[in-house]
Amino acid sequence: MKKKLLIAVLGVVTLSVGGFFLWKYLFAESPETQIRRTFQELSATVKKSGKEGLIVAMEKARDAAAFFDEVCTLKLDRIPHGVGAMSRQNITANTLTLRNYFQTMKITFYDMEIFVEKESPEALVTFTAVFEGNPASSGRQVKETKEMDAGLVRKEDRWLLKSLAFRDVIRK
Amino acid sequence: MDIREKINAFVFPKMNRTFAIRLAITVAVCFLFFKFVCKPVFLSGGSMEPNYHDKTLNFCWTPTYLFRSPRKGDVVALRYEGDRVMLLKRIVANAGDTVEFRNGTLFVNGQAVREPYVKYNEGCWNLPLRKVAPGCVYVVGDNRGMPIEQHKFGEIRKSRIEGTLLL
């Protein structure tokens, strides 16, 4: 009897928790959640696990560029072509170069802070980006961690990156 | 059950269902405790010498700031690069305060601060006056004997504070 009751209670709790999260996911997605999801999708799109053909690389690069606004302003000092206004074509080309250079690569985003007002079409996000990659030419692992500011704009229900810049975590 | 049997049962427990459940719960609780509440941290670098030594193990207690705000004098662990690398520093000023260094002496809001925890000080740190931005704290290491250029310190967002040190 007790066992059945326990199973019933557990079932109700599981269903309630599951239902709550399903409801949150389906109907109550805040701009913050949408922005977080955008970055998760960007991370999944950029990830490269092994060798890939040129067409796949091209498609992935184009998919990655779709996360950016038509023109994106970059202020990424000490990175080749990292400063200035970039079109989606430029971003596709640069992403393709990067994918060819690295055999495996991934970008992870941590410590995301999102500043967005309700109904506002613009948002500011600060985060830590960790880039890890293995160059195809050598087995030496590359790991770069950068603090970044990103400006986003909402267009047709999608959040697009319109600016990216490095920032200091700690400023003297 | 005599004492020898008890010791035997403790050292060589029977692998029955109860023991498996207990073991699983213990492992889960330990994992959650050390992953989220009391994080082990390995100190690397001498910026907090002589109070916290290089290459030593410590624990970051995260619940501290659930019940109070960060205060001046607190030694805090700050997330620096993702959740793997942290900085260990002491809070010296809060948001809205002004901070400056003159010949190695720290001035907060124009007043020289008595810092008994600073044992190494060459007296050559100079930093122009600046105001701490809202939502931030100003953190500095205890080792002022190292050149100011090599020392990571300054204004950092409060949300970066992970917790205080236990030991």
Side-chain angles (χ1 to χ4, degrees), chain B residues 103-142:
Chain B
N103 301 321
T105 305
L106 171 70
F107 287 79
V108 175
N109 296 326
Q111 302 284 315
V113 180
R114 216 184 120 259
E115 295 182 288
Y117 42 80
V118 176
K119 305 281 191 250
Y120 306 146
N121 196 344
E122 303 284 315
C124 49
W125 278 30
N126 284 297
L127 190 79
L129 187 129
R130 60 215 48 227
K131 193 173 181 179
V132 185
C136 296
V137 288
Y138 205 89
V139 295
V140 188
D142 292 348

Side-chain angles (χ1 to χ4, degrees), chain A residues 111 113 147 170-172, chain B residues 79 130 148 155 159-160:
Chain A
D111 280 321
E113 281 188 80
E147 284 301 310
I170 189 161
R171 266 176 284 210
K172 276 183 183 157
Chain B
R79 282 193 309 283
R130 60 215 48 227
I148 194 167
E155 183 183 290
S159 56
R160 291 254 165 202

Side-chain angles (χ1 to χ4, degrees), chain A:
Chain A
M1 189 64 190
K2 263 187 182 175
K3 200 177 171 184
K4 277 184 182 171
L5 187 70
L6 189 69
I7 290 169
V9 169
L10 274 176
V12 169
V13 170
T14 311
L15 279 176
S16 311
V17 172
F20 172 73
F21 281 109
L22 190 69
W23 177 81
K24 283 271 282 182
Y25 182 74
L26 291 176
F27 302 109
E29 205 176 48
S30 63
E32 284 89 348
T33 315
Q34 291 169 350
I35 290 168
R36 275 180 208 283
R37 193 157 46 80
T38 302
F39 277 92
Q40 281 169 6
E41 287 170 4
L42 176 62
S43 178
T45 309
V46 170
K47 189 176 179 180
K48 183 182 174 187
S49 307
K51 278 186 179 173
E52 62 185 15
L54 189 64
I55 295 170
V56 176
M58 192 70 198
E59 272 177 17
K60 291 257 184 181
R62 212 177 288 152
D63 289 348
F67 285 89
F68 292 81
D69 198 8
E70 277 151 31
V71 176
C72 179
T73 312
L74 303 183
K75 280 185 196 163
L76 311 176
D77 304 324
R78 297 188 296 275
I79 284 194
H81 314 291
V83 179
M86 290 259 178
S87 67
R88 277 190 188 148
Q89 283 82 0
N90 295 143
I91 290 166
T92 306
N94 289 343
T95 311
L96 194 61
T97 311
L98 209 64
R99 292 190 86 83
N100 282 337
Y101 184 73
F102 289 99
Q103 194 165 7
T104 62
M105 59 185 248
K106 69 171 183 177
I107 299 178
T108 326
F109 302 106
Y110 295 97
D111 280 321
M112 207 172 276
E113 281 188 80
I114 301 166
F115 306 93
V116 58
E117 284 176 23
K118 248 187 178 179
E119 309 299 323
S120 168
E122 297 203 345
L124 178 71
V125 184
T126 65
F127 57 89
T128 308
V130 180
F131 176 86
E132 287 169 87
N134 268 315
S137 53
S138 71
R140 198 171 51 89
Q141 169 95 8
V142 174
K143 189 175 178 188
E144 279 285 329
T145 306
K146 294 285 180 195
E147 284 301 310
M148 301 187 82
D149 279 334
L152 284 93
V153 61
R154 190 181 189 150
K155 284 184 180 172
E156 295 165 5
D157 275 346
R158 287 197 70 194
W159 286 98
L160 303 172
L161 287 155
K162 70 166 194 172
S163 67
L164 271 177
F166 288 148
R167 64 190 279 270
D168 296 323
V169 183
I170 189 161
R171 266 176 284 210
K172 276 183 183 157

Side-chain angles (χ1 to χ4, degrees), chain B residues 14-30:
Chain B
K14 280 181 188 163
M15 282 301 283
N16 54 23
R17 199 164 152 234
T18 315
F19 176 75
I21 291 170
R22 279 183 192 157
L23 187 68
I25 291 172
T26 309
V27 169
V29 169
C30 285

Side-chain angles (χ1 to χ4, degrees), chain B residues 6-147:
Chain B
K6 277 183 182 169
I7 291 171
N8 260 342
F10 181 78
V11 179
F12 306 106
K14 280 181 188 163
M15 282 301 283
N16 54 23
R17 199 164 152 234
T18 315
F19 176 75
I21 291 170
R22 279 183 192 157
L23 187 68
I25 291 172
T26 309
V27 169
V29 169
C30 285
F31 174 77
L32 293 173
F33 183 73
F34 289 111
K35 177 82 180 165
F36 300 106
V37 182
C38 185
K39 298 181 177 181
V41 286
F42 184 71
L43 307 186
S44 175
S47 78
M48 288 297 283
E49 292 279 0
N51 302 313
Y52 295 91
H53 301 293
D54 187 19
K55 294 183 176 64
T56 52
L57 182 73
N58 212 311
F59 292 91
C60 171
W61 185 248
T62 59
T64 307
Y65 297 121
L66 292 178
F67 309 104
R68 69 170 177 91
S69 300
R71 287 196 290 248
K72 287 179 196 173
D74 287 354
V75 175
V76 289
L78 305 143
R79 282 193 309 283
Y80 184 59
E81 289 182 358
D83 53 1
R84 290 286 169 101
V85 180
M86 293 199 211
L87 291 177
L88 184 64
K89 301 286 165 194
R90 193 181 293 275
I91 298 175
V92 296
N94 291 320
D97 290 343
T98 60
V99 181
E100 81 178 298
F101 276 101
R102 278 186 239 152
N103 301 321
T105 305
L106 171 70
F107 287 79
V108 175
N109 296 326
Q111 302 284 315
V113 180
R114 216 184 120 259
E115 295 182 288
Y117 42 80
V118 176
K119 305 281 191 250
Y120 306 146
N121 196 344
E122 303 284 315
C124 49
W125 278 30
N126 284 297
L127 190 79
L129 187 129
R130 60 215 48 227
K131 193 173 181 179
V132 185
C136 296
V137 288
Y138 205 89
V139 295
V140 188
D142 292 348
N143 185 357
R144 313 282 165 79
M146 58 199 290

